[in-house]
């Protein structure tokens, strides 16, 4: 199936990156969010990131302009998805919110459209079961920052069809990404492996084992990680990390996924990482 028109739901950290990459590769994009401020910020962020790509010689000025011209923004889910070939949902990692968005999308998007979720941990099978087209629901898990990272983890729900999977993998490749297919279990592969490490780093900080810089430096220089776990948590968003750990803890029922109390405290304080300029590190 040819995918030319893409609607992205949620213009936050991930949504603006997905819109950017899709438009850069010639797709017409509608970026939809409940907040006008977020949409304004999203377009500004995409503009800034395109400028950076021009400076690095990855694209030229004309391509940058054409990319921006292919992105429309709006807040009306029905109008924004009525002619979409594929919708990618990137709203916060809250199961009930995703279920309700997919129920709406099932009514508003054309019956043949693929409905993809960028969820980090929530069951694709459960999301799909809320719709009348579970065969056309799939996980399309982009990595942050989307314009830079190569991987898209493609998650098949129990009812996802081969054709939907083929089209989604094909789209990821068209967007210059490498798609890896995985099955639907909480956290899939990426966050099942990553989040326990981040959580342990937060617990080490809470227990006074070392300061944030020291924890990150040990993991960077000692394990050859490109960034330390606390800096990575700040990049992902501490609220998103907490939401993912809550899904893992609840769905897998194992205390090794129990979110660290210090992570909860930072989220309660509104210290969410880079997006609020303060997390385990400061970003002024
Ligand atoms: P975010 O909080 O930065 O952005 C979410 C956006 O959704 C916000 O702009 C919010 O206004 C909007 N929104 C909320 N309710 C909405 C609705 N009903 N309709 C339309 N828009 C709505 O979150 P994020 O970090 O971009 O995460 C989005 C999804 O991507 C989550 O499922 C998350 O787990 C996943 N994800 C995040 C990362 C990461 O590093 N942040 C990486 C991979 C996947």
């Amino acid at each position: 199936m040819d995918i030319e028109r893409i609607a992205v739901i949620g213009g936050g950290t991930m949504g603006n990156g997905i819109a950017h990459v899709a438009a850069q590769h010639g797709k017409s994009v509608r970026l939809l969010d409940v907040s006008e401020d977020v949409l304004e910020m999203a377009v500004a962020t995409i503009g800034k990131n395109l400028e950076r790509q021009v400076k690095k010689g990855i694209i030229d000025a004309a391509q940058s302009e054409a990319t921006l011209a292919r992105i429309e923004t709006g807040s009306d889910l029905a109008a924004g998805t009525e002619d979409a070939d594929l919708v990618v949902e990137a709203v916060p990692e809250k199961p009930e919110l995703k279920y309700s968005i997919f129920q709406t999308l099932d009514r508003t998007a054309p019956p043949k459209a693929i409905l993809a979720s960028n969820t980090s941990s929530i069951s694709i099978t459960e999301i799909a079961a809320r719709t009348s087209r579970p065969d056309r629901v799939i996980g399309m898990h982009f990595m942050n920052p989307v314009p830079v990272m190569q991987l898209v983890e493609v998650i098949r729900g129990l009812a996802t069809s081969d054709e939907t999977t083929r089209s989604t993998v094909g789209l990821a490749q068209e967007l210059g990404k490498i798609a890896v297919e995985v099955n639907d279990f909480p956290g899939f592969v990426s966050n099942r492996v990553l989040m326990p490490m981040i959580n342990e780093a937060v617990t080490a900080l809470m227990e006074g084992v070392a300061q944030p810089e020291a924890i990150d430096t040990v993991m960077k220089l000692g394990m050859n990680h490109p960034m330390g776990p606390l800096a990575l948590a700040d990049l992902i968003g501490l609220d998103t990390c907490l939401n993912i750990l809550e899904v893992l803890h609840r769905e897998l029922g194992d205390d090794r996924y129990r979110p660290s109390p210090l992570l909860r405290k930072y989220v309660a304080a509104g210290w969410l990482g880079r997006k609020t300029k303060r997390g385990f590190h400061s970003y002024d």
Side-chain angles (χ1 to χ4, degrees):
M1 171 185 172
D2 272 353
I3 296 170
E4 294 307 326
R5 284 178 303 274
I6 298 179
V8 180
I9 317 297
T13 308
M14 296 305 289
N16 77 63
I18 297 166
H20 171 156
V21 167
Q24 189 187 330
H25 290 83
K27 307 298 176 190
S28 45
V29 175
R30 292 224 176 99
L31 180 58
L32 305 165
D33 201 290
V34 283
S35 156
E36 282 298 331
D37 289 352
V38 166
L39 288 171
E40 244 175 64
M41 244 158 53
V43 172
T45 302
I46 294 169
K48 233 173 36 206
N49 290 337
L50 283 166
E51 250 173 55
R52 193 173 302 138
Q53 286 177 307
V54 172
K55 274 197 194 124
K56 286 187 176 164
I58 299 167
I59 55 172
D60 61 29
Q63 285 169 311
S64 162
E65 234 173 78
T67 298
L68 272 178
R70 281 192 282 267
I71 301 173
E72 270 179 44
T73 59
S75 52
D76 184 342
L77 220 68
T81 57
E82 65 186 5
D83 59 356
D85 300 317
L86 175 133
V87 183
V88 190
E89 163 278 312
V91 303
E93 189 74 350
K94 298 276 186 193
E96 294 305 327
L97 175 61
K98 302 225 188 245
Y99 299 157
S100 107
I101 298 249
F102 271 76
Q103 277 164 341
T104 307
L105 292 175
D106 195 30
R107 288 195 304 272
T108 61
K112 65 171 182 25
I114 294 175
L115 306 181
S117 175
N118 188 51
T119 178
S120 303
S121 59
I122 297 167
S123 164
I124 298 300
T125 306
E126 280 193 47
I127 293 175
R130 263 66 180 191
T131 74
S132 63
R133 58 179 101 181
D135 57 315
R136 255 161 276 158
V137 175
I138 194 159
M140 197 172 188
H141 185 208
F142 289 85
M143 303 291 131
N144 181 17
V146 183
V148 175
M149 299 293 281
Q150 275 198 307
L151 179 73
V152 176
E153 196 177 27
V154 171
I155 304 110
R156 287 187 76 130
L158 202 55
T160 308
S161 70
D162 290 343
E163 197 194 329
T164 298
T165 307
R166 259 196 312 275
S167 300
T168 306
V169 167
L171 173 67
Q173 288 165 346
E174 267 190 84
L175 303 186
K177 304 295 184 195
I178 293 170
V180 175
E181 272 181 61
V182 308
N183 287 318
D184 184 24
F185 282 94
F188 322 125
V189 172
S190 50
N191 283 304
R192 174 111 178 221
V193 175
L194 173 65
M195 282 302 151
M197 183 187 70
I198 286 179
N199 203 35
E200 199 57 36
V202 179
T203 303
L205 175 66
M206 184 177 77
E207 291 178 356
V209 179
Q211 291 298 305
E213 287 73 12
I215 292 172
D216 278 349
T217 304
V218 166
M219 296 305 285
K220 263 171 35 186
L221 303 186
M223 317 301 155
N224 220 8
H225 289 192
M227 66 198 301
L230 298 175
L232 180 54
D234 281 351
L235 176 73
I236 293 169
L238 302 192
D239 50 342
T240 301
C241 292
L242 178 58
N243 288 335
I244 297 170
L245 280 161
E246 277 174 341
V247 171
L248 288 171
H249 190 211
R250 188 171 58 243
E251 300 294 320
L252 295 166
D254 190 326
D255 269 354
R256 77 183 130 144
Y257 303 108
R258 185 171 57 88
S260 165
L262 188 65
L263 180 63
R264 288 193 187 283
K265 198 190 265 190
Y266 272 58
V267 173
W271 296 1
L272 305 183
R274 282 183 189 233
K275 60 185 162 188
T276 57
K277 301 205 181 323
R278 182 160 196 182
F280 295 113
H281 302 278
S282 290
Y283 300 89
D284 285 329

